[in-house]
Amino acid sequence: MKAGWNECKQESRFTSALPTDPKQTLLQLRELFGNPPDFQSTAIRIGSANGFICILKTMGDPKTMSDKLLVPLMEEASQGNSPLQFPQLEQMRQERLGVLPFVYAATIREAAERMLAGDAILLAEGVDKALCIEIGGIAARSIEEPKSQRVNRGSDDAFTEAMDTNISLLRRRLRNPLLRIEPFTAGEETRTSISLVYLENAAAPSLVSEFRRRLTAIKVRAIYDSGNVEELIGDKGSWFFPTVLDVERPDTVASMLVEGRCAVIVDGSPYVLIGPAVYGNYFISAGDYYFRPILANLIRLLRHTAFLISLFLPAFYLCVINYHSQMIPTTLLYSISGQEQGSPFPVGFMLIAMTLIFEVLREAGTRVPKSIGQAVPLAGAIILGEAAVQAGIVSNIILIVVASTELCGLVTPHYEFSNTVRIIRFGLLLLSSVLGIYGIFLGLVALVIHLASLHSFGVPYLKPFAPFRWRQQRDMLVRFSLKNEDPST
Amino acid sequence: MIGRMVRQMAIVLILGMLSLVGAGCWDMRSANEYVIVSSMSVTTGDGANYHVYLQMINALEFASSRATGSTPTYSIDAEGNTMDEAFGRIERKTARKLELSHMMLLILDAKLLATDKGLLFFEFLESMKDIRNDIQLVVSHRVAASEFSKLYFPEIRVSTVKLRRGLDSVEANWGGSPNTNLKQFIAAITSEGRQPVMSSVTMKLPSKQQQSVDAGKSTDSPTELVIDGTAVMRRAKLVGFLNTEETRDLLWIQDRIKDTSLTVQCGEDQYAQIRIGRSTTQLNVDYIDNRPKVKISINVEGAVSENQCESIRLSKISGFEQIRKLTEKAIQSHVEATVAKVQKKYGVDIFGFGEKLMGDHYQTFKIVKSHWDDEFVKAEVAVDVQAAIMRDGMISENLFRDIPGQSE
């Protein structure tokens, strides 16, 4: 296998100073890229000298380039053939190109990297530097509504794949010069750009440096999504629980930044990572802050309850039916027992089977082509459930348990947390089928111990409940109402 | 360091293994493997100590999608020298395990309680772990205990559930039943200063018709369940019964009246009805001059719900005063009569005067506790009633005063 870009960019032919002959530089660049069809170059006149301009047309828009670059340069062009000096080029840039973002590349390597970032490269005869002008303007998805973190009231824009758009969405919400953005690059082959964003007066320096350390420590061949970065910078030791929040809503990120957290934007991913993230964060939706506090509090409580129901309901039902029938209210037992009479499979088997079928439906729902829409999983669920009950394979009550469990699992505003529930739920179901309610408590103890030992960027995962912080309770389980701050303090 | 970790791991492993051994699949009873028992009736057997009737739930009838209109309950019986033997025989008949934890009612036949086998029976109840200790104990009066588990009522299809709800309602709304669950019964039977009681239930016009699901097709149900008062016990033996009015006096003394309704006579064939909404009783027991002195102070609060009496005008304060006096008198004479009846006829302290004496004057009680029931018979009982009649019904003036030609 040939050496990757990361290794060969150290070679002397890429690191030595550029030749003053633009033709030669152009050749070297073309050779490096392998003369691809999207490598566009043309000879132009820069002032009195000959030169070349080149661009990857898939990374920078050629029309923008001609508007911004070629037209102003052509006006300046004059007859003659005298090589330029660097100060002349710089003067011309200042006069003609004004505020266009630029950088001077001194080596082939730098020029190539700038081209990959979407810059146009201006090579003038007699100058041993390449003027790189930012063009951009490549096709990108426009700003759309959030897909998974929707709210009833509140802003309706979501992050996109383009880093600049994402930063702009943030800046629009935090018009504050202290908003710090630090660039990183990761992925040896992909060279993905990553930005660390924080509010300098809010974020603790130790947290920021921890983020810096983890981001610079990334050593992988490729990064395609913030999911990859999340895996790399997240705290180790978590079995199922996410320790980094992924958010697609700019308003949520902005509020987290104000609270003193750090955000990581990965180019190419519409999900921004936020750390530290603790248990309670996964139950907070941006919409909570746009409603009256009393309603928001009730809904937040509902989410916590639904989460617990979704975690324990199947396991609890199973163990109560199989081991602790005395715990069921008498008349309910009559009905349950009636439904279970003569059913061919044990309750435990049917519960696990039905839960698995629901999981398959859910997976099918994600995979199904958009043209078929939601019809397939929905029809599948209704038809399968009805038919199974009609055929006497499953009792109605099992269907109720499984369906309400799945529904409750989807209430959390952060989708990845509902995936966490899915895994743990199965573990609890197995435990309860073997050990009864004792098994559930065993599982609960293991879960609490695990949660209590988890950390996210040095913050205990159960904070502010354990360790208990009275002052931080005002926005975790409940949300206190917003008040004007007292100017005297 | 590593040694400690290994030891910790070992401890976790051992605990895990123990947990697997200590509880597990073999306790499992799938819902279609057992049959739910709703009540148990016990009487003396012909060939063995006990004859047990269990009322079972036909659970299919309780799942709306699978009900076929057949009987929701059925009764299976067996004899046995011990209760467990009888259960074993019943299990062989049903071919399924019995789910006893949901039994609501234990109906004891008066015949059984007349013998000495009752005591052994209570021993079984205490030691049986499947039976909840809040199961209610009742005595069947005048009919065989087994009859109760064979009935069908369309509104509450399980007859013993109907009976249990009836008991709860009669105690809470009228005070006519001294509901006693297993725990309370055991507490009373082992107490030195109190004798146990149980609710007594009976049936009006037992009929074959009420034993069929077709009973739901007729608007006239011949058989009625009747909650008819108290069964008075001397330890595990039945000595007699009290009717519902007397039962209310018993509950009044024990401060268990929540809500009741009192009819007082105020003239020839004329009555007033008092709805009692609040009642507290204070009991004072002392031992003076070789006999117990019992003082019962009852405080009631109520309203007039009906007034037929022409002589009492509720538009005036004096009318209320009259009603108040009548109420106090009525309660006082009733309670006194009931205590006297129990003293004379049965000679057992079902009221718990001995327990009160034990609590207040233990040294005195120690001397008399060996023959407390004899002392109870000698007791001098004084009842003091304070009534407060707060309101009357919607109208304060009798309607018949306004009817032309009726007023004097």
Side-chain angles (χ1 to χ4, degrees), chain B residues 207-400:
Chain B
S207 67
K208 271 273 170 219
Q209 197 189 330
Q210 202 72 46
Q211 294 180 3
S212 150
V213 191
D214 291 335
K217 299 212 166 92
S218 156
T219 52
D220 177 32
S221 68
T223 311
E224 253 177 68
L225 294 176
V226 181
I227 289 144
D228 74 339
T230 306
V232 181
M233 315 269 295
R234 181 188 294 277
R235 300 300 161 213
K237 252 189 171 164
L238 183 68
V239 292
F241 292 91
L242 296 178
N243 66 22
T244 39
E245 270 81 20
E246 291 158 345
T247 300
R248 178 166 64 183
D249 299 329
L250 164 68
L251 296 190
W252 234 314
I253 293 170
Q254 293 182 336
D255 196 13
R256 282 166 66 186
I257 293 285
K258 290 175 197 122
D259 240 323
T260 187
S261 181
L262 206 67
T263 315
V264 293
Q265 193 164 14
C266 50
E268 189 121 330
D269 271 347
Q270 287 181 339
Y271 300 93
Q273 191 73 18
I274 319 294
R275 184 95 230 165
I276 305 288
R278 189 178 297 168
S279 162
T280 50
T281 306
Q282 276 200 327
L283 202 57
N284 226 318
V285 185
D286 205 348
Y287 195 81
I288 299 163
D289 300 337
N290 286 324
R291 60 188 297 200
K293 262 180 97 83
V294 179
K295 193 168 178 307
I296 303 163
S297 328
I298 301 171
N299 270 297
V300 296
E301 209 174 275
V304 184
S305 61
E306 211 175 320
N307 177 23
Q308 302 173 346
C309 314
E310 285 168 29
S311 57
I312 297 172
R313 307 196 61 162
L314 288 177
S315 54
K316 297 206 168 68
I317 287 188
S318 64
F320 277 95
E321 195 66 12
Q322 278 170 290
I323 288 272
R324 183 180 68 79
K325 282 198 178 123
L326 282 171
T327 309
E328 287 175 354
K329 188 81 203 132
I331 296 175
Q332 187 199 6
S333 59
H334 268 125
V335 172
E336 274 172 355
T338 301
V339 175
K341 177 181 173 183
V342 174
Q343 278 176 316
K344 277 202 200 78
K345 203 169 164 194
Y346 303 127
V348 285
D349 178 12
I350 55 173
F351 306 103
F353 295 152
E355 262 181 12
K356 183 73 185 157
L357 183 65
M358 177 160 65
D360 292 352
H361 308 279
Y362 182 65
Q363 294 306 328
T364 324
F365 183 71
K366 240 167 57 176
I367 303 163
V368 295
K369 74 176 180 189
S370 55
H371 54 282
W372 171 250
D373 280 329
D374 300 335
E375 297 286 339
F376 162 72
V377 173
K378 298 192 295 191
E380 183 192 328
V381 178
V383 181
D384 172 46
V385 182
Q386 297 288 327
I389 308 298
M390 313 297 276
R391 285 171 297 278
D392 60 348
M394 291 287 284
I395 43 173
S396 50
E397 202 60 60
N398 266 346
L399 175 70
F400 49 72

Side-chain angles (χ1 to χ4, degrees), chain B residues 41-43 53 107-112 138-151 163 200-207 211 223-228 238 241:
Chain B
S41 311
V42 189
T43 179
Y53 296 78
I107 307 165
L108 299 165
D109 203 287
K111 251 194 329 190
L112 175 78
V138 298
V139 176
S140 70
H141 189 195
R142 291 199 285 265
V143 284
S146 58
E147 293 302 308
F148 292 95
S149 56
K150 294 175 183 166
L151 302 178
L163 192 55
S200 139
V201 293
T202 185
M203 212 181 283
K204 249 186 204 163
L205 298 169
S207 67
Q211 294 180 3
T223 311
E224 253 177 68
L225 294 176
V226 181
I227 289 144
D228 74 339
L238 183 68
F241 292 91

Side-chain angles (χ1 to χ4, degrees), chain A residues 363-385:
Chain A
E363 185 62 19
T366 347
R367 301 285 155 253
V368 77
K370 256 193 180 157
S371 51
I372 308 180
Q374 288 296 303
V376 174
L378 203 65
I382 293 170
I383 293 169
L384 263 179

Side-chain angles (χ1 to χ4, degrees), chain A residues 369-431:
Chain A
K370 256 193 180 157
S371 51
I372 308 180
Q374 288 296 303
V376 174
L378 203 65
I382 293 170
I383 293 169
L384 263 179
E386 267 298 309
V389 170
Q390 287 286 321
I393 302 172
V394 193
S395 65
N396 273 319
I397 196 130
I398 286 191
L399 218 57
I400 295 172
V401 167
V402 173
S404 49
T405 304
E406 292 287 337
L407 264 185
C408 286
L410 291 174
V411 171
T412 48
H414 292 267
Y415 184 73
E416 72 268 33
F417 218 64
S418 80
N419 292 340
T420 309
V421 181
R422 286 155 84 180
I423 307 166
I424 301 174
R425 188 195 297 150
F426 261 103
L428 285 172
L429 199 56
L430 290 178
L431 269 177

Side-chain angles (χ1 to χ4, degrees), chain A residues 322 325-326 328 338-339 341, chain B residues 29 66 96 99 102 132:
Chain A
N322 275 352
S325 49
Q326 64 273 17
I328 313 172
Q339 296 192 13
Q341 291 302 319
Chain B
R29 288 180 307 177
R66 311 177 72 180
R96 281 200 269 177
E99 167 66 44
H102 281 271
R132 292 186 191 200

